[in-house]
């Protein structure tokens, strides 16, 4: 597991419609405003991606830094969900073998633009979420 100094940061694909909806989903439910967000296309997001070994031109995962540890793919999604109020029950999904969880994650990730679409430019969040964006 990679260490990173900033905590509770979600790295996402800013041109991916599905990924941007994920950020809105998290921001809406994150009543403690714990998580901050950075698009992989931003200068900070590109630095994170490079540090974590993610191809910023063709990202195949989101990532989250939580507790100083970087999580990828299904671990990232489940880690974020498990911290949100009312979503702690998703921790049981960690019992599903990681290779199986990541295979499903990768299938969606590979087809996300075809299924959900792609923005021409990076998704611009509303003012409340924008205050939590790291550029």
């Amino acid at each position: 597991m990679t260490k990173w100094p900033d905590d509770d940061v979600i790295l996402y694909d800013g041109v991916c419609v599905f990924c941007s909806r994920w950020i809105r989903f998290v921001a809406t439910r994150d009543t403690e405003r714990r998580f901050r967000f950075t698009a992989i296309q931003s200068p900070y997001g590109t630095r994170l991606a490079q540090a974590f070994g993610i191809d910023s031109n063709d990202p195949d995962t989101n990532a989250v830094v939580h507790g100083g540890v970087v999580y990828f793919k299904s671990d990232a999604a489940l880690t974020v969900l498990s911290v949100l109020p009312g979503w702690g029950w998703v921790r049981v999904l960690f019992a599903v073998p990681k290779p199986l969880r990541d295979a499903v994650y990768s299938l969606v990730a590979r087809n996300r633009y075809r299924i959900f679409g792609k923005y021409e430019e990076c998704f611009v969040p509303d003012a409340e979420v924008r205050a939590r964006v790291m550029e």
Side-chain angles (χ1 to χ4, degrees):
M1 306 248 175
T2 306
K3 293 282 188 183
W4 190 258
D6 292 325
D7 206 28
D8 290 330
V9 177
I10 299 173
L11 175 68
Y12 71 101
D13 181 355
V15 297
C16 167
V17 172
F18 180 75
C19 306
S20 298
R21 287 182 182 157
W22 163 246
I23 295 306
R24 283 190 290 237
F25 176 91
V26 171
T28 301
R29 288 154 183 81
D30 182 16
T31 54
E32 294 177 15
R33 299 174 53 88
R34 155 184 251 149
F35 289 105
R36 293 171 294 157
F37 315 100
T38 187
I40 202 164
Q41 293 82 4
S42 73
Y44 182 74
T46 299
R47 276 194 14 242
L48 254 68
Q50 290 171 342
F52 302 159
I54 299 170
D55 180 355
S56 59
N57 294 315
D58 187 23
D60 65 347
T61 182
N62 74 2
V64 65
V65 181
H66 179 67
V69 177
V70 181
Y71 298 94
F72 302 96
K73 297 192 177 195
S74 64
D75 283 344
L78 292 177
T79 297
V80 170
L81 285 172
S82 69
V83 173
L84 297 177
W87 286 84
W89 62 268
V90 302
R91 287 184 189 96
V92 302
L93 297 176
F94 281 112
V96 174
K98 182 174 171 44
L100 181 59
R101 286 187 282 119
D102 282 352
V104 172
Y105 183 98
S106 293
L107 180 66
V108 173
R110 266 193 315 276
N111 295 291
R112 69 191 183 279
Y113 296 146
R114 188 167 5 121
I115 297 169
F116 301 101
K118 183 177 179 179
Y119 295 119
E120 290 298 315
E121 294 181 358
C122 219
F123 158 73
V124 178
D126 62 28
E128 182 177 330
V129 175
R130 197 169 27 251
R132 297 163 64 186
V133 169
M134 301 175 74
E135 305 268 5

